[in-house]
Amino acid sequence: MAQYLSQNLAQQMRMEQRLTPRLIQSMAVLQKPVADLEAFVEDALESNAALELAEPEVPEEDASPARTDESGTNRNDREGFARLGRLSREYDPDWLDRGPRRPRREWSGEPDPKMGALANAPDQSESLHEHLLNQWALVDTDDETRRAGEAIITKLDPDGFLRVAFEDVASAARPLVSTESVNRALPLIQRLEPAGIAARDLKESLLLQLESLPGDNRIERTLVENHLEDISQNRLPAIAKATGYAIGEITEAMKAMRATLHPHPGFQVGDRTVPPIRPDVIVDYADEGGGLDVRLARGNSPRLRIREDVAEMARSKNNGSDTREFAKKHVEEAAALIDAVEFRRARLLEVARAIVEKQRDFFDEGPSGLKVLRMSDLAEEQGCDPSTISRTVADKYVQTPRGIHPLRYFFTGGTETESGEAVGWDRIKTRVRELVESENPKEPLQDDEIAARLSAEGIDISRRTVAKYRQQMDIPAARQRKKYE
């Protein structure tokens, strides 16, 4: 049977969505928090010859809506590539030779604030290893033991524990040392400050710390040596039966241990402060009317514009093709960046206002006032994809009268009560915490009892869900919360 191959030409219509480079850039800029946006714009100002900051720069209230002309047209829209014909500055033919012109700060005899800030910046705090090496240098010992001690210090974890074998410590020394030298050096290292350093486990660290304390620590030592597991499970009657101490004595000893002993002694050295969070959105109570004022924080709306001389260079036919292409490329990239920044500003402000409107009760009542709010619902309301909402709130924070919170915090699922009211999970968590805080400490509530009380309030929730929320809030189990007389 003969077979034939043939080719035919046909036309068909179909719709497909493609991401253009400009759209990809807009999505990337939309996702950046304010600190990253400032760094991104700064890099663009350095690399793009057509981009510059408009003068004057944005005042403190830079979160106000974009300025418009009498026809309602946004100023940024009037400064794009499509309006290059209205740029009037004459083209400078020597521009390429001397590079793009940037506004320079003329020295007026006043000190540079940036240099002043650099001079006043605090020195980097001493690390744990530096702190110990400075002490170790004053210890009188032989050369091999000294090298072994230095190797021990370099092998300590940030929390101050030694979690490697002596063989690994010995092989890290230069020149190499024996494991016997490491064994001799370890007790000397453990005498350094802070107390409890270079321990192999928690028990050894706590015992080292107890040795450095004055007074009679017999009860505390007994608890650490034999009953750490019982303490973690709050089995005080079992400890009393095994040791012969009264529960009151054990309770007081545990209080003293919590006040004086540190489970991670290495963390007591060095600066472990958390870097500050820069909010992208600020919410305040309005001066009049009792409403809420939503604005963007400083840095979210850099006033960018296209340089007039570069725009004229891109249009002038008196220039060579290479010059025009160079200028045109930079102008197009600058216009795309300006559009992306403006899109981010408008979208972030729109989403923030919608969140504040829907979560209004949070600002009056706190976390218990949070309602069910899903990104998909907000995206449908605003006519966009849920991924756009996700990018808009990603890694961004809002400063409110009730503290600083991630924007994602206000998106929460939930359930319905018997009356049909939507209750968010955060509100349920808050209610669980309130029940625990009001319980009888001698007879704490079990998880199933908490679930039963919530059910009586119309909130249908399982015991396992209560246990999950309790663990997320670092609330111990009932047996660990029980107080003994």
Side-chain angles (χ1 to χ4, degrees):
M1 182 176 180
Q3 295 183 348
Y4 299 94
L5 297 176
S6 63
Q7 293 181 340
N8 295 318
L9 293 177
Q11 290 182 338
Q12 63 177 359
M13 296 181 63
R14 66 178 182 179
M15 296 180 62
E16 63 180 12
Q17 184 178 12
R18 293 189 178 183
L19 294 178
T20 64
R22 178 170 289 200
L23 182 57
I24 293 174
Q25 183 185 48
S26 294
M27 293 296 102
V29 172
L30 176 64
Q31 194 164 344
K32 294 181 183 296
V34 61
D36 292 350
L37 177 66
E38 289 180 339
F40 179 75
V41 170
E42 185 68 25
D43 291 341
L45 287 169
E46 292 295 329
S47 61
N48 192 308
L51 191 66
E52 68 177 357
L53 284 174
E55 297 292 346
E57 295 187 0
V58 183
E60 290 292 339
E61 296 78 16
D62 65 339
S64 58
R67 300 178 183 176
T68 58
D69 57 19
E70 295 179 356
S71 63
T73 303
N74 188 289
R75 178 182 295 178
N76 284 339
D77 293 338
R78 294 186 287 106
E79 295 174 353
F81 183 66
R83 294 161 298 281
L84 298 180
R86 280 179 278 176
L87 302 176
S88 59
R89 184 178 300 176
E90 294 184 357
Y91 163 61
D92 181 358
D94 297 329
W95 178 83
L96 284 177
D97 294 333
R98 69 169 185 265
R101 291 177 293 181
R102 300 286 181 193
R104 295 178 178 270
R105 179 193 299 270
E106 295 186 2
W107 187 70
S108 60
E110 296 295 330
D112 189 339
K114 293 183 178 179
M115 296 301 296
L118 180 62
N120 293 327
D123 294 336
Q124 186 176 2
S125 59
E126 187 180 46
S127 68
L128 174 64
H129 291 171
E130 293 171 341
H131 181 71
L132 295 175
L133 287 173
N134 290 336
Q135 298 179 65
W136 183 241
L138 303 177
V139 176
D140 185 16
T141 186
D142 60 87
D143 290 342
E144 184 168 352
T145 304
R146 183 172 302 282
R147 295 198 306 273
E150 293 172 352
I152 291 174
I153 293 173
T154 59
K155 287 293 184 179
L156 294 181
D157 286 347
D159 59 355
F161 282 85
L162 180 65
R163 295 187 174 94
V164 298
F166 281 4
E167 291 77 8
D168 296 333
V169 176
S171 62
R174 293 294 180 271
L176 298 178
V177 297
S178 63
T179 55
E180 289 78 9
S181 299
V182 176
N183 194 40
R184 291 196 306 269
L186 183 60
L188 300 177
I189 296 293
Q190 291 177 340
R191 296 177 188 173
L192 304 179
E193 293 293 334
I197 210 73
R200 272 71 59 87
D201 54 37
L202 177 61
K203 179 187 293 187
E204 183 179 16
S205 178
L206 296 179
L207 290 174
L208 289 171
Q209 294 178 58
L210 287 173
E211 288 180 2
S212 67
L213 295 177
D216 185 4
N217 300 315
R218 287 177 298 175
I219 300 179
E220 290 85 349
R221 177 174 291 276
T222 299
L223 296 180
V224 171
E225 288 180 339
N226 305 311
H227 299 286
L228 280 181
E229 179 65 23
D230 292 330
I231 290 176
S232 65
Q233 298 299 323
N234 200 30
R235 294 194 286 255
L236 301 193
I239 299 176
K241 182 178 180 180
T243 62
Y245 295 120
I247 289 183
E249 293 177 303
I250 298 173
T251 301
E252 290 300 318
M254 291 171 56
K255 290 180 181 179
M257 290 167 58
R258 293 189 182 100
T260 57
L261 305 185
H262 202 293
H264 303 284
F267 288 163
Q268 300 177 82
V269 177
D271 184 11
R272 300 188 56 80
T273 57
V274 179
I277 294 174
R278 286 191 60 185
D280 295 77
V281 181
I282 299 176
V283 179
D284 286 322
Y285 287 107
D287 296 335
E288 299 179 357
L292 291 172
D293 177 43
V294 183
R295 67 183 190 276
L296 300 185
R298 183 177 179 85
N300 280 281
S301 303
R303 307 301 295 181
L304 302 173
R305 68 182 181 189
I306 297 172
R307 291 185 53 179
E308 297 176 3
D309 53 350
V310 181
E312 182 64 25
M313 183 189 301
R315 292 181 55 85
S316 178
K317 295 182 180 180
N318 296 327
N319 303 318
S321 59
D322 291 342
T323 300
R324 289 199 307 271
E325 288 300 320
F326 171 84
K328 182 179 179 181
K329 177 183 177 182
H330 280 246
V331 168
E332 290 176 343
E333 291 177 353
L337 176 59
I338 292 173
D339 289 343
V341 171
E342 174 61 21
F343 174 76
R344 177 191 179 278
R345 187 203 69 81
R347 176 62 68 180
L348 179 57
L349 192 57
E350 182 181 12
V351 170
R353 286 172 174 166
I355 290 174
V356 171
E357 179 183 355
K358 295 180 180 301
Q359 299 290 12
R360 182 64 176 85
D361 291 345
F362 165 83
F363 299 94
D364 296 333
E365 305 172 14
S368 62
L370 283 174
K371 297 180 179 179
V372 177
L373 179 60
R374 297 180 176 87
M375 290 188 184
S376 58
D377 297 334
L378 187 58
E380 182 178 356
E381 180 180 310
Q382 297 194 354
C384 63
D385 191 86
S387 63
T388 302
I389 302 296
S390 178
R391 288 187 178 96
T392 303
V393 302
D395 300 323
K396 298 180 181 67
Y397 291 81
V398 55
Q399 178 179 309
T400 76
R402 292 188 175 272
I404 297 178
H405 301 275
L407 273 175
R408 286 186 181 273
Y409 172 76
F410 297 93
F411 291 94
T412 177
T415 185
E416 287 189 356
T417 63
E418 294 179 352
S419 61
E421 178 188 2
V423 181
W425 296 131
D426 287 309
R427 181 175 177 180
I428 297 175
K429 289 182 182 179
T430 301
R431 186 61 185 137
V432 170
R433 180 179 293 278
E434 290 173 350
L435 290 174
V436 170
E437 291 176 350
S438 62
E439 68 187 1
N440 182 358
K442 297 179 182 179
E443 297 181 2
L445 296 173
Q446 301 288 338
D447 292 338
D448 54 354
E449 294 176 315
I450 295 176
R453 295 198 180 188
L454 291 175
S455 179
E457 298 175 4
I459 302 175
D460 187 14
I461 187 173
S462 67
R463 180 198 62 80
R464 294 179 60 183
T465 303
V466 171
K468 180 180 71 173
Y469 289 167
R470 177 177 52 74
Q471 293 169 2
Q472 290 176 355
M473 295 184 291
D474 293 327
I475 297 176
R479 68 175 180 274
Q480 295 173 296
R481 301 197 306 269
K482 185 173 182 179
K483 301 296 182 182
Y484 296 91
E485 294 182 350

